[in-house]
Amino acid sequence: MAVAAAVAVAAVATAWFWWAVRPAVDGPIILISIDTLRADHLPTYGYTKVRTPAIDALSADGVVFERAYAHAPLTLPSHASIFTGRLPFEHGVRDNIGFNVKQGEAVLSGMLRRNGFSTGAVVSAYVLRKETGIDQGFDFYDSQFAPVSPEVPIAQVQRDGAQSLQVAERWISGLTSPQFFLFLHLYEPHKPYTPPARFAVYAPYDGEIAYADEIVGRLTAYLRARDLYESATILLLSDHGEGLGDHGELEHGLFIYEESIRIPLIVKLPGGREAGRRVGQPVQHVDLVPTLLDLVGAPDAAAVTGRSLRPLLEGRRSDEPHVGIYSESLYPRYHFGWSELYALTDERFRLIRAPRDELYDLQRDHGERTNVADDRPQARQAMRAALDRILTRARIDKPSAVSDEQREQLQALGYVGAQASVAPDVPGETLPDPKDKVQVLERYRRAVELAGERKFGDAVTLLQGILAENPAMADVWQQLGNLLMRLGRVDESVRAHRRFVELKPDNPGGLISVAAALLKMQKLDDAQAHAELAARVARKQDSKAQAGAYELLAKIALKRKDRTAAERYAVLAQEADPSLPMPIYVQGLIRHAEGRYAEALPYFEEALRQSTARTITMTELHFHTGDTLARLGRNAEAETQFRKEIDLFPQNLRARASLAMLLRSIGRDADADRAIVDLMRAAPTPEGLGLAEQLWRMFGESERAMAVRAAAQRLKATPAARP
């Protein structure tokens, strides 16, 4: 009997083990990431000011995790954690800028592909472009965006989620097996909040949520139409939340309070298993990789930090003890020289490590309004000790470093005090506390908004006020330099960009900006020295920046009429960035400068064709194509190219002037007049007004020319009132 009992027990144990590890998923897996979506702005989590019928339906068919958290309030670090199952300091992606997912990193897409899944991704934001390395493991990765000027902040380079869905549906339609993994990323409701007019009844942020919900509904309808919905495993989540002013921050990136790191997480299992279940235990981004691997029957395929949520999904008790959830924000340190923030969240409390620690009782104080660090010393000490143990592995990663040789070269260019604004070994406790600086950040973000509205003068005034009080804010100096350049205040732009270089000598972009301004001032030797150093600084860290430096060196060589050097730098630019058609463009520029327009045109047209896959477009390519077409008498085509250049680069005065002259030459006087008025509106600067005066005189409009001249003189006489 004893033997029989033992055999029976063994049989039960074997049966249980097989059940526990057997694949629970053999159909499609779809991961929907809705960027910047706060959990508490969904009806699924109790919100009442917006309707989201598609997400509500998915919640009814799935399991809702009521307390899911991100590890960083930024898009790229969060998605790196989602796909690697590792914390930011483990995978090394600590910010949206200056970091990439390391080649060869074990990622979810690659693990699923090795388990027989076709893998595809469609993303809606440039921050997740394939060059960041987030595309590893995907058979298909679409990150195509409409061309934009390099002046557009990368956070604003996006495409409509409905367009991304169309790409995803086309990819699915071409598959022959239902065993596929799709990652669909939607950028609604990321700022700027511009929902379709049909959602105007809601607040703008909520309106974008409603639009994202509509796209989710289209996806689920598509899956139903192809008989894929029932067998699909669908995960809907966000990378992080949005401040909306709860602690003074309107957007995200700075703080790691509940509104910024609590995310929605809904998991629909095949056949609607466990539908309607709600899980109250805290879970995290790094849990997703082990969960999905567990569900497909490959639980040991990767070394990850998280735990499988399969027991919680299936209503079973997890054998793994709950550990605190780690979150970080290095954005204030990297961009503004303020202290970084770290947090540990458990089932009741959140500790935020800062120059002044914060402890919140999340059970009693969901909004984190009352800091109980002094009232709960034991809880504070225990959580601080646990967080400090984690942080022994979490060194401050630098995006790059400047060698001693490069530092000497910087000093030779006059950057005697050049040093990083905050060295990696400077303790965060010695830096300004972000909660004391949040209003400074919001003023900076307002200035960026004003610049986007083309209110450059107001933006410059606001930035100058910030820097008068906070001179170590590197990003503000860079933004100021960019705006001054767009206003034609080139000398001031150089000074601002030089301050940025002093604070961020490891950032090649600052050196490139100084070089571009010096080129505009015809200071070719200084421009070349800065561009050469930028190329060296960028060599091991940023191929795009290196390409930009070589592109600038090619233009400097053309100014010197050094054809050989221009061709050499053009080749180096394309080697650094294969999507940059610089060699063929330079051939066109050489022939254009020599007046060989018929020979130049094919080179420009080929450069346009080769650049169609680029998001960040080339400066003046459309202008030179238009100018060449105009000189060949192909006026309608020339007008199209001039207008494309102006759309991408509104401050390109040569393109605006050329358009006005073209329109006048073909008898469209009223259109030419409007083009000059548009030029003055785009550039109400001495340079812009001077060019408008020349055009009016050229067209025989002496009274208009005199009026513009008088306006320019008034502008010069009152520099304080300059835009």
Side-chain angles (χ1 to χ4, degrees):
M1 290 292 293
V3 174
V7 171
V9 170
V12 170
T14 301
W16 176 88
F17 176 78
W18 175 85
W19 176 85
V21 300
R22 78 187 191 285
V25 170
D26 57 7
I29 299 175
I30 298 168
L31 175 60
I32 306 168
S33 175
I34 303 179
D35 209 293
T36 321
L37 176 58
R38 282 177 61 151
D40 64 357
H41 270 246
L42 288 177
T44 291
Y45 292 91
Y47 192 65
T48 60
K49 295 181 181 179
V50 69
R51 292 185 66 253
T52 56
I55 295 175
D56 293 351
L58 195 63
S59 300
D61 289 345
V63 179
V64 175
F65 288 86
E66 296 178 335
R67 296 187 62 197
Y69 291 102
H71 305 293
L74 293 170
T75 296
L76 184 58
S78 283
H79 283 92
S81 288
I82 289 169
F83 281 108
T84 64
R86 303 207 297 154
L87 298 170
F89 61 80
E90 293 174 324
H91 56 63
V93 180
R94 314 297 288 276
D95 192 46
N96 284 339
I97 299 173
F99 295 91
N100 294 323
V101 179
K102 294 186 289 289
Q103 287 299 311
E105 184 81 43
V107 291
L108 175 63
S109 44
M111 300 171 204
L112 291 175
R113 184 166 64 180
R114 287 192 293 274
N115 279 272
F117 285 77
S118 298
T119 55
V122 185
V123 301
S124 301
Y126 187 73
V127 174
L128 293 180
R129 64 198 179 279
K130 63 173 59 180
E131 289 83 358
T132 63
I134 202 77
D135 68 319
Q136 294 178 67
F138 284 103
D139 303 314
F140 171 79
Y141 194 95
D142 188 285
S143 57
Q144 290 294 313
F145 306 95
V148 298
S149 160
E151 298 168 353
V152 177
I154 66 167
Q156 295 180 16
V157 181
Q158 59 177 298
R159 67 174 161 194
D160 191 300
Q163 297 174 359
S164 294
L165 176 59
Q166 291 176 351
V167 176
E169 289 176 351
R170 285 197 298 270
W171 178 72
I172 294 173
S173 298
L175 299 175
T176 57
S177 167
Q179 194 173 39
F180 63 85
F181 170 56
L182 169 68
F183 167 49
L184 175 64
H185 170 259
L186 307 178
Y187 210 42
E188 298 85 6
H190 195 284
K191 199 169 186 179
Y193 314 133
T194 54
R198 59 185 175 276
F199 299 116
V201 65
Y202 302 125
Y205 177 77
D206 290 343
E208 290 233 327
I209 292 174
Y211 183 44
D213 178 79
E214 181 179 276
I215 296 168
V216 172
R218 293 178 194 174
L219 173 60
T220 55
Y222 172 83
L223 295 173
R224 290 184 189 278
R226 297 182 66 87
D227 293 325
L228 292 170
Y229 181 81
E230 285 301 311
S231 62
T233 300
I234 302 176
L235 296 85
L236 184 143
L237 50 73
S238 179
D239 53 351
H240 52 75
E242 187 78 314
L244 300 180
D246 283 5
H247 285 86
E249 182 179 22
L250 294 174
E251 299 178 39
H252 59 270
L254 186 71
F255 289 142
I256 42 180
Y257 296 114
E258 192 85 346
E259 64 268 14
S260 296
I261 61 170
R262 184 183 170 215
I263 58 165
L265 176 59
I266 301 163
V267 182
K268 179 210 139 327
L269 294 170
R273 295 199 306 271
E274 310 300 333
R277 181 183 301 283
R278 299 185 77 91
V279 177
Q281 289 181 247
V283 299
Q284 54 191 333
H285 272 158
V286 295
D287 294 337
L288 297 174
V289 168
T291 299
L292 286 172
L293 294 179
D294 195 354
L295 290 172
V296 300
D300 299 321
V304 296
T305 300
R307 58 173 177 159
S308 173
L309 302 179
R310 183 173 176 181
L312 299 179
L313 283 168
E314 296 176 345
R316 295 182 286 117
R317 188 177 154 207
S318 174
D319 293 331
E320 297 186 46
H322 173 73
V323 295
I325 292 173
Y326 170 88
S327 301
E328 68 175 34
S329 174
L330 272 65
Y331 175 83
R333 183 182 186 110
Y334 287 149
H335 294 269
F336 305 117
W338 306 335
S339 175
E340 68 278 11
L341 299 173
Y342 302 108
L344 192 66
T345 303
D346 66 16
E347 293 183 299
R348 180 169 181 178
F349 293 103
R350 170 172 298 126
L351 175 81
I352 299 176
R353 175 175 151 171
R356 299 193 311 280
D357 283 356
E358 301 166 66
L359 181 70
Y360 297 100
D361 185 338
L362 299 177
Q363 289 183 0
R364 299 179 179 179
D365 180 19
H366 297 294
E368 295 166 291
R369 298 299 176 189
T370 304
N371 181 0
V372 297
D374 293 335
D375 300 331
R376 303 296 298 263
Q378 290 183 328
R380 174 189 178 183
Q381 291 168 8
M383 294 192 73
R384 177 63 188 253
L387 182 56
D388 287 348
R389 284 194 294 272
I390 295 172
L391 292 176
T392 58
R393 300 183 289 133
R395 63 183 177 86
I396 301 291
D397 293 312
K398 286 291 292 179
S400 53
V402 174
S403 68
D404 291 340
E405 178 186 359
Q406 291 163 353
R407 194 171 300 282
E408 289 176 5
Q409 292 165 341
L410 282 164
Q411 291 172 350
L413 292 174
Y415 299 95
V416 178
Q419 58 183 358
S421 52
V422 181
D425 57 351
V426 173
E429 289 82 353
T430 66
L431 301 173
D433 194 319
K435 54 183 171 283
D436 297 331
K437 293 288 188 177
V438 61
Q439 293 307 317
V440 177
L441 173 61
E442 291 307 315
R443 287 164 60 197
Y444 169 65
R445 287 174 169 168
R446 177 57 185 152
V448 173
E449 285 184 354
L450 288 169
E453 297 166 5
R454 305 187 61 73
K455 298 176 181 177
F456 300 130
D458 293 340
V460 164
T461 300
L462 191 51
L463 294 176
Q464 289 173 331
I466 293 170
L467 289 168
E469 303 168 6
N470 304 270
M473 293 181 69
D475 282 28
V476 184
W477 284 110
Q478 184 179 45
Q479 184 73 24
L480 177 62
N482 292 340
L483 293 181
L484 289 168
M485 190 71 171
R486 294 169 78 172
L487 286 169
R489 294 158 62 173
V490 184
D491 285 347
E492 295 173 80
S493 175
V494 169
R495 289 196 293 271
H497 281 304
R498 284 181 67 91
R499 284 290 290 126
F500 176 79
V501 173
E502 289 171 358
L503 293 167
K504 293 282 188 180
D506 52 1
N507 187 317
L511 291 161
I512 291 172
S513 295
V514 174
L518 291 169
L519 172 59
K520 189 174 181 67
M521 297 167 68
Q522 301 296 314
K523 296 183 177 181
L524 302 186
D525 290 344
D526 286 347
Q528 180 157 342
H530 279 80
E532 288 174 344
L533 181 54
R536 288 192 287 273
V537 171
R539 182 172 297 130
K540 293 183 179 181
Q541 51 161 306
D542 189 340
S543 60
K544 297 287 187 183
Q546 187 181 27
Y550 285 132
E551 179 181 357
L552 198 54
L553 284 165
K555 292 178 179 179
I556 294 168
L558 288 173
K559 280 286 185 183
R560 297 183 188 278
K561 302 188 184 306
D562 186 342
R563 174 174 178 166
T564 301
E567 291 174 335
R568 182 176 74 254
Y569 286 128
V571 170
L572 290 171
Q574 191 170 57
E575 288 176 354
D577 179 2
S579 73
L580 184 67
M582 199 63 194
I584 196 112
Y585 182 39
V586 163
Q587 293 301 322
L589 291 174
I590 290 169
R591 287 156 179 78
H592 181 276
E594 295 172 350
R596 296 153 55 192
Y597 303 115
E599 295 178 35
L601 183 60
Y603 288 100
F604 290 141
E605 290 176 330
E606 178 60 18
L608 284 171
R609 188 193 67 77
Q610 291 184 19
S611 65
T612 54
R614 288 178 59 82
T615 297
I616 308 301
T617 194
M618 298 175 66
T619 308
E620 295 208 318
L621 174 55
H622 288 289
F623 164 74
H624 281 111
T625 306
D627 185 74
T628 303
L629 288 164
R631 293 175 187 276
L632 294 173
R634 294 164 62 173
N635 295 329
E637 297 167 88
E639 180 182 353
T640 297
Q641 291 299 320
F642 286 144
R643 292 193 184 278
K644 285 184 177 179
E645 182 74 26
I646 292 168
D647 286 343
L648 290 165
F649 301 94
Q651 302 304 116
N652 190 325
L653 302 187
R654 288 208 297 172
R656 289 186 178 277
S658 296
L659 175 62
M661 289 188 290
L662 173 69
L663 294 170
R664 192 82 175 200
S665 71
I666 59 178
R668 291 167 56 186
D669 292 4
D671 290 339
D673 291 352
R674 278 192 292 273
I676 299 175
V677 172
D678 289 343
L679 184 157
M680 291 189 291
R681 287 175 178 165
T685 63
E687 181 183 8
L689 295 177
L691 186 55
E693 180 192 353
Q694 292 178 34
L695 289 168
W696 288 129
R697 292 194 186 282
M698 186 185 305
F699 298 161
E701 303 278 358
S702 58
E703 289 187 8
R704 285 179 164 177
M706 289 174 62
V708 173
R709 182 181 182 85
Q713 289 174 339
R714 288 194 298 272
L715 188 66
K716 292 178 181 178
T718 55
R722 286 190 300 173

